[in-house]
Amino acid sequence: MNSKIIVVGKLKEKYLKQGIAEYAKRLSKFCNFEIVEVPDEKAPEKLSTAQMQQVKQIEGERILAKIKEREYVFALAIKGKELSSEEFAAEFEKLTTYGHSALTFVIGGSLGLSPAVLKRADAQLSFGRFTLPHQLMRLVLTEQIYRAFMINAGSPYHK
């Protein structure tokens, strides 16, 4: 199985890199796991609506270029479906049972995801209505992917 997170921008914080690296190492016994970074589009602090749409479109094109046709795509979006860890694990189990061996998660840039990326997504996933830094979301998502595998393996990790 392949599990991939596509993110906009670079990760600078050492403590987040260390946490992600730890979960990535743990995930290696369950799947081929990778994080793919695409460049964020440089933009002024104050943007018009048209400029915001243009930035999202450019970042969206970069994201879509990293998604293969057969990948099942989860877009992280505030309006997405909220799942418990157990429901998330069950979703993983169901997808792999029905032949989806490549799961891809997309975390957009600071302005969010383009309509084209949301359209390409097979599902939209929300971690609640909190606004979280994109860099921190990488760590949270990586841990939840690991937790899903542990739940499905019947491990006490989840307790």
Side-chain angles (χ1 to χ4, degrees), residues 26-37:
R26 294 180 188 188
L27 276 166
S28 68
K29 65 181 165 189
F30 296 107
C31 66
N32 294 320
F33 177 77
E34 69 175 320
I35 294 181
V36 176
E37 292 179 340

Side-chain angles (χ1 to χ4, degrees), residues 56-112:
K56 288 198 307 190
Q57 179 187 342
I58 292 167
E59 290 176 349
E61 289 168 2
R62 292 174 182 159
I63 290 166
L64 290 170
K66 301 295 182 185
I67 299 173
K68 294 180 178 74
E69 188 179 323
R70 296 194 38 83
E71 293 174 359
Y72 188 94
V73 178
F74 289 94
L76 271 65
I78 277 188
K79 293 181 179 168
K81 186 176 182 181
E82 290 184 40
L83 301 172
S84 68
S85 294
E86 295 85 357
E87 290 167 333
F88 186 53
E91 187 74 13
F92 254 57
E93 190 78 14
K94 182 179 82 179
L95 289 168
T96 55
T97 299
Y98 290 102
H100 294 284
S101 60
L103 303 182
T104 297
F105 299 85
V106 180
I107 301 173
S110 58
L111 299 176

Side-chain angles (χ1 to χ4, degrees), residues 16 19-20 23 135-144:
L16 291 174
I20 292 166
Y23 286 111
Q135 297 85 347
L136 178 59
M137 198 60 229
R138 290 186 202 193
L139 175 59
V140 171
L141 177 58
T142 304
E143 190 280 336
Q144 284 298 301

